[in-house]
Every structure is written in structure tokens, then in C-alpha cells.
Amino acid sequence: VFRGVSEGDVTRYAFAKREPLRLELEAFRDAVNGRESHVVTMAQGLQTLMVVEAALHATAHAQAVTL
């Protein structure tokens, strides 16, 4: 810890934390009722990982990548 060092003004945002099992149950209920889901799919997660890995590769090798 550095004494006397400041990072400047800090803005804090409050987000309501909901109980995870309740959210899972509500998502299941909504899926059964045919409602839109805001749950990330496996395909979306995989695509995100591909983007992150490409960014890491581009940074490590100082070259652009194409997805």
C-alpha cells in the first residue's frame, strides 16, 4: 500500500444481488413458458473465448488476427 497515493475520484454503482438459485429457477420457468432467455448459451460462450484467445494471440505476436 502506498501512502499518499490516490487514483482519483471513484464512482461506485450499486447492483442488486439476486439469489442465484432463484434466478436459475426463474430462467427455467421462463424457458418452459416460451419466454425469451437472457442466459448465455454455450455457443455464445465459445465465441467469446475465441475472441479473447485471438486478442491474446494478437498481443503476444504483435499482429492482427482475423476471426
Side-chain angles (χ1 to χ4, degrees):
V1 176
F2 297 105
R3 295 185 185 272
V5 176
S6 174
E7 294 182 14
D9 294 334
V10 176
T11 302
R12 295 181 189 260
Y13 297 96
F15 294 98
K17 283 189 165 185
R18 297 187 58 204
E19 204 276 315
L21 293 177
R22 181 180 180 123
L23 290 175
E24 189 173 338
L25 180 60
E26 289 174 357
F28 178 75
R29 177 204 61 205
D30 292 346
V32 169
N33 290 327
R35 295 185 188 151
E36 183 179 358
S37 173
H38 299 289
V39 175
V40 175
T41 66
M42 184 69 74
Q44 292 168 325
L46 179 59
Q47 187 175 15
T48 300
L49 286 175
M50 290 171 60
V51 169
V52 170
E53 287 178 346
L56 291 172
H57 179 81
T59 301
H61 300 286
Q63 58 184 202
V65 294
T66 303
L67 298 174

